[in-house]
Amino acid sequence: ALEKALPDLSGAGAALAQLNQAGLALKANDVPKALAAFDSAIQDRGAPSLVRDLARVQKASIMLDQKNMTAAQIDETLKPVLKEKNSAFYAQAILINAAAHFTLVKGDKNKAATALKELIADPALPASVKERASALLAVYEVQS
């Protein structure tokens, strides 16, 4: 129903419908369709920045699992979220970005470790996020 209504939707409604399409595409293992739906939500200037940030983080998370993706592509997807420390998805963007630089860029462990340490030191972030960042950092340090 949302897919049929999408041409008539705008703003947050359209972006949320596109996120729903992405979720359905992922459930059907159609990654290209999911990435395209995330792109539609990201490019929708009428959608709130919070929804576009969510689409960016979700897209980057999916990109991380694709063999043909690069850390530079993930950087580009996350760039607006990483620039905005007040974004509700900033911490998730840092975690995904650090994972991308550790797993996709051989030898770029320093960038991943630096980003994680900054995240851990941020007093405004919840303990659960800091714990995830600490655990990821510990894994990276063991593998270094």
Side-chain angles (χ1 to χ4, degrees):
L2 279 174
E3 192 168 347
K4 288 180 184 177
L6 191 55
D8 298 322
L9 296 174
S10 63
L16 291 172
Q18 291 157 340
L19 291 177
N20 187 61
Q21 277 187 324
L24 291 173
L26 288 173
K27 192 173 185 177
N29 292 320
D30 189 345
V31 173
K33 185 175 180 179
L35 294 175
F38 285 128
D39 283 337
S40 294
I42 290 166
Q43 295 165 6
D44 186 345
R45 298 289 177 215
S49 61
L50 180 69
V51 175
R52 291 195 321 268
D53 286 354
L54 172 60
R56 287 181 180 284
V57 167
Q58 293 297 318
K59 179 183 177 189
S61 180
I62 300 306
M63 292 170 71
L64 190 60
D65 293 332
Q66 305 307 306
K67 292 180 182 178
N68 62 338
M69 294 294 164
T70 66
Q73 290 170 301
I74 293 173
D75 284 348
E76 189 61 32
T77 298
L78 292 174
K79 188 186 301 184
V81 184
L82 293 170
K83 286 183 179 179
E84 186 56 54
K85 287 191 174 192
N86 292 330
S87 171
F89 299 101
Y90 176 76
Q92 288 175 307
I94 290 286
L95 291 170
I96 293 166
N97 191 260
H101 280 273
F102 183 78
T103 60
L104 300 176
V105 181
K106 303 304 180 212
D108 199 1
K109 296 172 185 167
N110 290 336
K111 182 170 183 171
T114 299
L116 290 171
K117 287 175 184 174
E118 287 177 13
L119 196 61
I120 293 164
D122 189 336
L125 292 176
S128 62
V129 173
K130 291 181 181 190
E131 288 170 10
R132 278 190 262 161
S134 295
L136 194 56
L137 181 59
V139 169
Y140 292 169
E141 288 174 343
V142 167
Q143 293 184 4
S144 293

